Amino acid sequence: MTPDKHTTIFVIGDSTAANKDTTGGKQERGWAMMLQECFDADYIVVDNHAVNGRSSKSFIDEGRWDKVLERIKPGDYVIIQFGHNDEKPKADRHTDPGSTFDYNLAKYVRETRERGGIPVLMNPVVRRNFFVVAPKNDDDEKLRTSTFKDGVKMIEGDTLYDTHGLYRVAPKDVATRMNCHFVDANTITHNLEQGLGTEASKKLHMWYRPGEEPSEPKGKQDNTHYNIYGARVVANLLADALCQEVPILSKYRKK
């Protein structure tokens, strides 16, 4: 396959998938940063456009979707994953499942197809939430500037609780209605975190005690964003699911 015949997998979404600053030993990673490792780069190129703090609405409003549309060629794939920020109250990001959230997802699907691309809807990955009552969180991005002492002091149990509600259901509904590929990233990551349990699941995230990680000397309790290890584990699980949903991609899956 010649270089101009590469198939591209575009990713659009939020901070759970986004490219991160890796300078100075920083550990935070989005899962889509690791997706290229899962595929043979001679045939599949991953082009990650996910950005911290974006919702299905703001990604469009800021012109980011138009830039992706310009690059899609027939046969390319577009992974669409939003929800973490659509549920936030700020007007520039908020959408409603069953209404504006679904409309935006359908727009991504429709316009990808108009360019000859193949859309793949994913619902949001889970937050590591073992609290019986989820702590109030109106902005996941605030976790990035927090330290260990800023973390919630509530006692955790043994059960992982959902924080996304209908935002995890809507992408599957849209996929069914539009006969679109769908990967249940929410269930996959739920099973991962629940399987690891309360303590071991911290190893997936930016969760460090003071002095434990040189790049985070004051520590951090971030139950949303992944570290290098977590992003790699999640990327491989989602790559496996993607290949199961789109079997032709399994030819280029790296083990």
Side-chain angles (χ1 to χ4, degrees), residues 42-93:
D42 289 336
Y43 300 97
I44 301 291
V45 173
V46 175
D47 191 358
N48 185 17
H49 289 258
V51 181
N52 293 350
R54 270 52 184 191
S55 70
S56 68
K57 178 184 189 302
S58 62
F59 197 87
I60 294 169
D61 292 346
E62 294 173 2
R64 297 177 185 278
W65 176 233
D66 287 336
K67 292 178 180 178
V68 176
L69 275 177
E70 293 170 0
R71 305 179 68 162
I72 298 172
K73 63 184 186 300
D76 286 342
Y77 295 84
V78 181
I79 295 175
I80 304 154
Q81 185 187 59
F82 291 99
H84 272 266
N85 299 303
D86 287 76
E87 64 187 25
K88 304 304 183 184
K90 290 186 177 180
D92 61 342
R93 295 189 291 183

Side-chain angles (χ1 to χ4, degrees), residues 21 36 63-64 75 126-127 130 172 202 209 228 238:
D21 178 8
Q36 185 66 73
R64 297 177 185 278
V126 297
R127 296 183 180 90
F130 285 90
K172 184 175 183 179
K202 294 175 182 177
R209 296 185 178 279
I228 295 170
L238 295 183

Side-chain angles (χ1 to χ4, degrees), residues 14-18 20 27-31 51-53 84-85 125-128 137 139-146 193 201-208 220-228 230-231 234:
D14 54 45
S15 60
T16 58
K20 306 299 171 76
Q27 297 292 297
E28 187 179 333
R29 301 289 188 274
W31 68 261
V51 181
N52 293 350
H84 272 266
N85 299 303
V125 295
V126 297
R127 296 183 180 90
R128 183 193 161 277
N137 175 17
D139 191 349
D140 283 309
E141 299 310 301
K142 293 177 182 176
L143 296 170
R144 192 163 284 107
T145 57
S146 68
E193 307 248 7
S201 59
K202 294 175 182 177
K203 300 296 184 184
L204 300 170
H205 293 277
M206 294 296 293
W207 215 108
Y208 302 108
K220 191 175 288 291
Q221 294 186 51
D222 183 341
N223 294 307
T224 296
H225 302 105
Y226 299 118
N227 57 25
I228 295 170
V234 171

Side-chain angles (χ1 to χ4, degrees), residues 163-209:
T163 66
H164 292 296
L166 293 177
Y167 291 93
R168 65 183 170 87
V169 178
K172 184 175 183 179
D173 288 347
V174 174
T176 300
R177 190 163 65 247
M178 300 187 74
N179 194 26
C180 174
H181 291 298
F182 172 72
V183 171
D184 193 347
N186 193 269
T187 295
I188 290 168
T189 52
H190 176 278
N191 292 344
L192 169 65
E193 307 248 7
Q194 182 66 76
L196 288 171
T198 309
E199 287 302 314
S201 59
K202 294 175 182 177
K203 300 296 184 184
L204 300 170
H205 293 277
M206 294 296 293
W207 215 108
Y208 302 108
R209 296 185 178 279

